[in-house]
Amino acid sequence: MGPVSFPPTSQKLSTWRGDLAKMTHLQAGLSPETIEKARLELNENPDVLHQDIQQVRDMIITRPDIGFLRTDDAFILRFLRARKFHQADAFRLLAQYFQYRQLNLDMFKNFKADDPGIKRALIDGFPGVLENRDHYGRKILLLFAANWDQSRNSFTDILRAILLSLEVLIEDPELQINGFILIIDWSNFSFKQASKLTPSILKLAIEGLQDSFPARFGGVHFVNQPWYIHALYTLIKPFLKDKTRKRIFLHGNNLNSLHQLIHPEFLPSEFGGTLPPYDMGTWARTLLGPDYSDENDYTHTSYNAMHVKHTSSNLERECSPKPMKRSQSVVEAGTLKHEEKGENENTQPLLALD
């Protein structure tokens, strides 16, 4: 006679139902397509979701030097998704997330949208966030580099505004799975502005975005980059992970290669897309709400005089102060152009340089 099977006790039933409800809650709001994508691409299994989360939580004791200020299921889950449910890698990312904040305490003081430094950066369009997602469900972030007024915004405050924006966006479980796209437009970004991108602040940005944040970046796209940005990338390339390098693309002024990866219907006209020009105040208004106020015209000084290719008359015109609205981009629609394949070597993805 085989072993007798007894029905589960009421306590066990209650625990089982509680775990089931918890897992349902963690995946609530996800479309069936996204749930399937998480299963196929991220190895997410709802049957063992709680165990996966607990395994990461159990590792916290191994790092008593770090203050883990948040360890709830939903929070740990985003780190598992960012590392395709490899528990050890997810824990390492979780530890680096809090360690980065411990090592850079000043960056995270008053870490909210109405902090004066963060607010200025947001109003100036750092970052821009498109309302609609691309054909893969990814959120598109924009950076118009020439809008960096160095007398107004420190690089650190811009980085803080980007990290805060990502914190808000990553609350969406769909984006934890589908990820993000970043487009950096280097139009009119001068050599003088680039000279402020020191190794220390670039290292700070790399550590904060690549090594310490649970976001999946499907691509980082450079457009209209000058030669010195390409040279700068060469310098920081050794500090980038191989996966990161393979997801960075140099398009130059070639729209064809950009549109092969991001369809024009998801892009504003600055990038040859069918959407209206991007309003720099869009994301700031979302985060600041009633606290948002578009300031009056301000003086934006362009340092394109550093480009030796300009004539002396252009130098004088480019170096003079130019009034512009903060809600405007310094990039006009149509500044990019379509080029035939192979016409410009800078349109190749950076991974081709490996």
Side-chain angles (χ1 to χ4, degrees):
M1 182 176 178
V4 178
S5 177
F6 295 98
T9 64
S10 60
Q11 183 178 0
K12 289 182 178 179
L13 277 174
S14 177
T15 301
W16 178 81
R17 287 169 180 159
D19 287 346
L20 180 61
K22 190 181 295 183
M23 294 308 103
T24 303
H25 171 71
L26 287 172
Q27 293 190 317
L30 294 176
S31 67
E33 294 79 11
T34 303
I35 291 175
E36 180 66 4
K37 181 177 183 179
R39 185 184 70 82
L40 293 175
E41 296 185 13
L42 307 184
N43 307 307
E44 182 168 329
N45 183 352
D47 295 333
V48 294
L49 207 50
H50 180 67
Q51 293 94 311
D52 289 335
I53 292 170
Q54 190 58 45
Q55 284 185 22
V56 173
R57 188 183 287 114
D58 289 342
M59 298 179 193
I60 290 175
I61 195 173
T62 66
R63 293 298 304 270
D65 57 312
I66 297 176
F68 292 86
L69 303 180
R70 184 178 170 188
T71 59
D72 57 274
D73 287 356
F75 188 71
I76 292 178
L77 178 56
R78 66 187 63 172
F79 290 86
L80 280 163
R81 286 169 170 164
R83 291 296 180 263
K84 296 187 176 181
F85 279 78
H86 296 293
Q87 289 91 345
D89 292 343
F91 173 71
R92 189 176 301 112
L93 180 61
L94 177 68
Q96 290 169 338
Y97 173 92
F98 285 114
Q99 186 174 48
Y100 181 78
R101 280 147 181 76
Q102 283 184 195
L103 295 175
N104 302 284
L105 289 175
D106 288 343
M107 280 184 61
F108 297 95
K109 287 180 180 177
N110 199 35
F111 190 56
K112 51 187 179 180
D114 61 0
D115 172 83
I118 293 177
K119 182 177 180 179
R120 283 194 302 269
L122 289 171
I123 289 175
D124 287 4
F126 295 106
V129 180
L130 296 186
E131 182 178 355
N132 296 323
R133 304 171 188 184
D134 76 351
H135 52 294
Y136 291 117
R138 301 172 296 191
K139 201 72 169 174
I140 301 176
L141 277 62
L142 308 174
L143 293 177
F144 293 93
N147 279 7
W148 180 19
D149 182 344
Q150 296 172 349
S151 66
R152 175 178 162 87
N153 292 312
S154 69
F155 181 87
T156 301
D157 280 337
I158 290 176
L159 178 58
R160 292 172 73 216
I162 293 171
L163 287 171
L164 178 65
S165 298
L166 287 171
E167 290 282 3
V168 173
L169 292 167
I170 204 67
E171 290 288 333
D172 184 346
E174 290 270 346
L175 294 180
Q176 295 172 18
I177 295 167
N178 292 324
F180 300 87
I181 291 292
L182 175 62
I183 305 177
I184 307 176
D185 189 343
W186 297 99
S187 300
N188 301 319
F189 189 72
S190 70
F191 188 89
K192 184 172 183 178
Q193 286 174 301
S195 69
K196 302 297 183 181
L197 297 175
T198 62
S200 60
I201 63 175
L202 290 173
K203 179 174 180 287
L204 188 69
I206 292 170
E207 289 175 348
L209 295 170
Q210 173 188 257
D211 303 327
S212 309
F213 196 84
R216 304 183 68 222
F217 279 95
V220 178
H221 301 269
F222 287 10
V223 296
N224 282 332
Q225 73 281 353
W227 65 267
Y228 40 85
I229 293 301
H230 195 295
L232 188 64
Y233 171 77
T234 303
L235 292 176
I236 67 170
K237 192 174 179 180
F239 302 99
L240 300 176
K241 295 177 180 177
D242 184 61
K243 181 185 291 186
T244 302
R245 290 199 299 268
K246 289 179 178 178
R247 292 177 179 173
I248 298 178
F249 298 86
L250 274 180
H251 298 284
N253 59 2
N254 182 1
L255 283 175
N256 290 331
S257 61
L258 178 65
H259 293 168
Q260 287 172 10
L261 299 171
I262 309 173
H263 298 169
E265 59 263 35
F266 302 109
L267 294 171
S269 58
E270 290 95 331
F271 304 102
T274 59
L275 299 177
Y278 182 71
D279 177 356
M280 290 293 170
T282 300
W283 181 241
R285 283 190 289 269
T286 300
L287 288 189
L288 292 168
D291 292 332
Y292 174 84
S293 59
D294 193 7
E295 302 176 15
N296 295 328
D297 289 1
Y298 80 109
T299 298
H300 175 82
T301 304
S302 173
Y303 296 100
N304 279 329
M306 302 297 292
H307 297 233
V308 296
K309 64 181 180 181
H310 289 299
T311 64
S312 59
S313 60
N314 282 339
L315 291 177
E316 182 177 355
R317 184 172 64 254
E318 291 295 333
C319 288
S320 61
K322 296 190 240 182
M324 63 178 280
K325 292 279 190 182
R326 290 203 180 279
S327 61
Q328 293 176 330
S329 164
V330 296
V331 185
E332 296 181 0
T335 54
L336 299 175
K337 66 180 181 179
H338 292 273
E339 294 186 350
E340 295 300 324
K341 184 176 181 181
E343 183 177 339
N344 188 336
E345 64 179 5
N346 284 339
T347 66
Q348 297 300 315
L350 289 178
L351 61 90
L353 301 176
D354 289 333

